[in-house]
Amino acid sequence: LYENPFPLDENYFIVSYNGSILVRNYEGTDQTTLIKPEDSMGFYNPQPVRATKRPPVLPSLVDPSAAVNDTIPLATIYLQDIYQGLEPYIERGEIKAIRVVEEIAKPVKIHPDLRAFGFQFPVVSSGATYAPKRIWGEATVGEDGSAAFVVPAERPVYFMALDKHGRALQRMRSFTHFMPGETQSCIGCHEDQANRSMAPLHDIMPSAFRNPPESLRTPEWGMEGFSYKRIVQPVFDRNCITCHNSRNPQGNVDLSGDMTDFFNVSYETLVRKDTPAENPFKGNAHQSHFNNPYTSWISTYNDSEANILEIKPRTWGSPASLLGELIISGHPDKHGVPRISLDESEERRVFAWIDLNVPYYGTSDTNYPQKRGCRQIWPSDFETVFQEVASRRCISCHEDGIQSKWYLRIEKPELNNFMLAPLARSAGGTELCGKIVFESTKDPDYVTLMSVFNPGLKLLENMPRLDSYGEPVVIQRKSVEK
């Protein structure tokens, strides 16, 4: 309710509060009301009318003609010692590179009633990052902690300190920006904000300053928006789905890439698992607890703001995630023998995704601006049809209702657990119900359940959901006709 504070001196400021104008001290212990709303009209922009000394005009440090690469304007950063602000939690020599990340704009305008996962519209993640991300690249950090590198200008960017595996030991929790040709320097990560006039740390010139600024090393997956489907899912397809698939998911972990109502199956498992939803069958994504066992991500839900104080290195991201530990260790069996061996490129893809705060979509563009979160594909008659079939075929064993996943499989709907479990093994099911409910896929109720997915499948065939930036999702499965 407080708006537009304006300083009066070193002790007091004026501010609008719910339409009243107040004078307050900075400690919040002294307050006087100057004026209250009149005739239902409030006052919101208080400013003192007084003579004010013209502030000095600082000379510009920007050279618009300098440091331009093709059509991308650049700026230059000189970092004296990245360990300033990270010690003693990070030992010298641990940080090998600094990553530059851009927060991509969200130009799509939709009605906030369509928001999901907190206040995301369009949806980018499962309540984590609300902005798509682009990794511009990495620069080398010297043994003395110094770095000199170019960054894209006129874009909101932030930085990550990476170890030898490409894991972010610390990330910047806000962003900054630079003008074309601008040169900026910083003391460390982070320098003392209470003393912005900190002097250079050493008499000896940092090693990185002795050479021309380094160009960023572009990631091997390119510089398009970071799409989970395009960049991360192929890693699981190559290394994991032999054991962690839809039909026999070891440890109840399914890492297949089939599309769900908002995301895909592996993303649901690694990000949303054990994150309660009000009603999974309604696709309601409002969540109040964040207990996923595999990835450590920062919630952007309202009432999660206390996490801004949790800034100790390794608190978030890949260093704090079980998935990261499994990848580094090779996911050993009970005898200690590694079961997987990802190459460096594959490891860095997964670590980068977690450290970007688990984005799924690499863009805010959407083909579905009128759907929930601008993304959700949910059969309108699913719940009605499902409950009608379940009341006749399943109630004898499921008196308290059927426990399903927290998501709905839209692509390959026959692999939803409520379709596999009652189906005979001879017909491709799992019989996890303990008895055969559907003898074959020609059972009328089985066909009825499958048919509710036809409109969504046809919609996706004609107008893909933008799971992969620049790569439309191809639905290979044919619709089941009733």
Side-chain angles (χ1 to χ4, degrees):
L1 296 179
Y2 290 92
E3 298 182 66
N4 304 312
F6 196 103
L8 297 177
D9 55 26
E10 68 273 16
N11 297 313
Y12 293 95
F13 66 98
I14 52 177
V15 64
S16 171
Y17 176 78
N18 201 24
S20 296
I21 303 302
L22 313 179
V23 178
R24 307 189 83 212
N25 65 354
Y26 295 106
E27 292 76 21
T29 59
D30 188 5
Q31 175 176 301
T32 300
T33 300
L34 294 182
I35 187 171
K36 296 181 179 180
E38 298 177 358
D39 299 326
S40 75
M41 300 294 288
F43 301 91
Y44 295 94
N45 293 279
Q47 291 189 34
V49 180
R50 63 185 180 186
T52 303
K53 182 179 179 181
R54 182 186 298 274
V57 177
L58 301 178
S60 174
L61 301 177
V62 176
D63 178 3
S65 65
V68 175
N69 177 17
D70 298 328
T71 59
I72 301 174
L74 301 175
T76 303
I77 305 295
Y78 288 94
L79 169 61
Q80 292 191 45
D81 184 359
I82 200 168
Y83 295 99
Q84 296 298 314
L86 299 183
E87 295 177 312
Y89 307 106
I90 305 296
E91 295 183 4
R92 287 193 168 269
E94 284 193 79
I95 298 174
K96 303 300 182 183
I98 186 167
R99 173 182 289 154
V100 180
V101 181
E102 177 188 352
E103 295 262 309
I104 300 177
K106 295 172 68 73
V108 178
K109 182 179 180 180
I110 68 167
H111 198 283
D113 286 350
L114 295 174
R115 64 187 179 182
F117 302 99
F119 56 90
Q120 296 196 23
F121 49 101
V123 162
V124 172
S125 72
S126 174
T129 178
Y130 50 82
K133 305 296 179 72
R134 174 184 289 113
I135 295 179
W136 281 86
E138 300 170 8
T140 303
V141 173
E143 291 297 322
D144 60 352
S146 66
F149 53 98
V150 296
V151 296
E154 299 179 327
R155 296 170 185 260
V157 295
Y158 65 96
F159 308 108
M160 296 179 176
L162 308 183
D163 69 4
K164 63 181 180 181
H165 298 289
R167 298 178 299 180
L169 303 183
Q170 183 63 296
R171 74 181 78 175
M172 186 174 168
R173 292 284 294 274
S174 58
F175 59 80
T176 187
H177 60 274
F178 305 93
M179 293 297 290
E182 183 177 6
T183 297
Q184 287 283 1
S185 64
C186 52
I187 302 296
C189 176
H190 294 91
E191 64 184 82
D192 185 357
Q193 294 298 301
N195 182 12
R196 298 305 301 273
S197 60
M198 287 178 65
L201 297 169
H202 310 293
D203 294 332
I204 302 176
M205 180 179 291
S207 61
F209 295 12
R210 302 169 192 169
N211 299 306
E214 182 181 359
S215 297
L216 297 175
R217 298 185 296 276
T218 304
E220 48 86 16
W221 57 78
M223 289 174 54
E224 292 178 331
F226 196 99
S227 161
Y228 177 90
K229 182 85 171 182
R230 180 176 67 88
I231 298 172
V232 180
Q233 185 60 47
V235 177
F236 301 137
D237 291 343
R238 288 191 292 266
N239 297 279
C240 307
I241 59 174
T242 300
C243 298
H244 298 290
N245 53 62
S246 58
R247 294 186 176 276
N248 183 29
Q250 294 188 20
N252 197 29
V253 175
D254 187 350
L255 296 181
S256 52
D258 302 334
M259 184 186 300
T260 64
D261 52 311
F262 270 112
F263 307 109
N264 76 356
V265 174
S266 66
Y267 185 92
E268 301 275 3
T269 302
L270 296 173
V271 177
R272 289 183 70 190
K273 183 179 175 65
D274 291 342
T275 304
E278 289 179 353
N279 188 340
F281 275 167
K282 288 185 179 179
N284 194 319
H286 175 72
Q287 298 153 356
S288 56
H289 298 88
F290 309 93
N291 302 313
N292 180 270
Y294 304 112
T295 52
S296 170
W297 47 272
I298 300 171
S299 166
T300 55
Y301 276 80
N302 288 339
D303 299 326
S304 297
E305 291 84 358
N307 65 44
I308 66 173
L309 303 176
E310 300 174 18
I311 58 174
K312 182 180 177 181
R314 296 190 177 95
T315 297
W316 303 100
S318 57
S321 296
L322 175 60
L323 179 60
E325 295 178 13
L326 292 173
I327 289 175
I328 293 294
S329 65
H331 191 8
D333 62 19
K334 62 182 180 180
H335 303 294
V337 178
R339 287 178 281 197
I340 59 173
S341 179
L342 276 63
D343 61 33
E344 181 181 1
S345 171
E346 292 173 325
E347 289 184 356
R348 295 178 78 90
R349 285 178 174 227
V350 178
F351 296 154
W353 164 64
I354 302 175
D355 292 327
L356 292 174
N357 212 27
V358 293
Y360 181 80
Y361 294 93
T363 176
S364 288
D365 293 340
T366 178
N367 284 332
Y368 301 107
Q370 303 306 318
K371 292 191 176 293
R372 188 161 178 269
C374 301
R375 309 290 191 190
Q376 190 180 37
I377 306 297
W378 188 273
S380 59
D381 57 345
F382 170 75
E383 188 172 12
T384 300
V385 173
F386 179 84
Q387 295 298 339
E388 194 279 326
V389 172
S391 67
R392 291 186 289 101
R393 306 294 295 272
C394 309
I395 194 66
S396 61
C397 296
H398 298 278
E399 296 180 0
D400 298 328
I402 296 178
Q403 299 297 315
S404 185
K405 296 288 186 181
W406 55 95
Y407 58 84
L408 191 63
R409 214 178 193 113
I410 300 301
E411 184 183 7
K412 301 180 182 177
E414 69 274 15
L415 298 182
N416 281 299
N417 63 333
F418 56 81
M419 301 299 293
L420 284 174
L423 182 63
R425 290 191 183 93
S426 60
T430 61
E431 293 185 26
L432 290 179
C433 281
K435 67 177 184 179
I436 297 175
V437 179
F438 301 135
E439 290 282 355
S440 75
T441 57
K442 295 182 181 179
D443 184 293
D445 284 332
Y446 183 94
V447 174
T448 296
L449 284 171
M450 286 292 294
S451 68
V452 302
F453 293 93
N454 285 346
L457 288 168
K458 292 178 179 178
L459 178 66
L460 289 167
E461 288 173 351
N462 296 325
M463 190 166 56
R465 194 173 72 182
L466 301 180
D467 290 43
S468 299
Y469 184 73
E471 298 178 15
V473 176
V474 178
I475 302 298
Q476 299 177 340
R477 186 186 174 283
K478 298 298 183 181
S479 299
V480 173
E481 298 301 333
K482 197 171 179 180

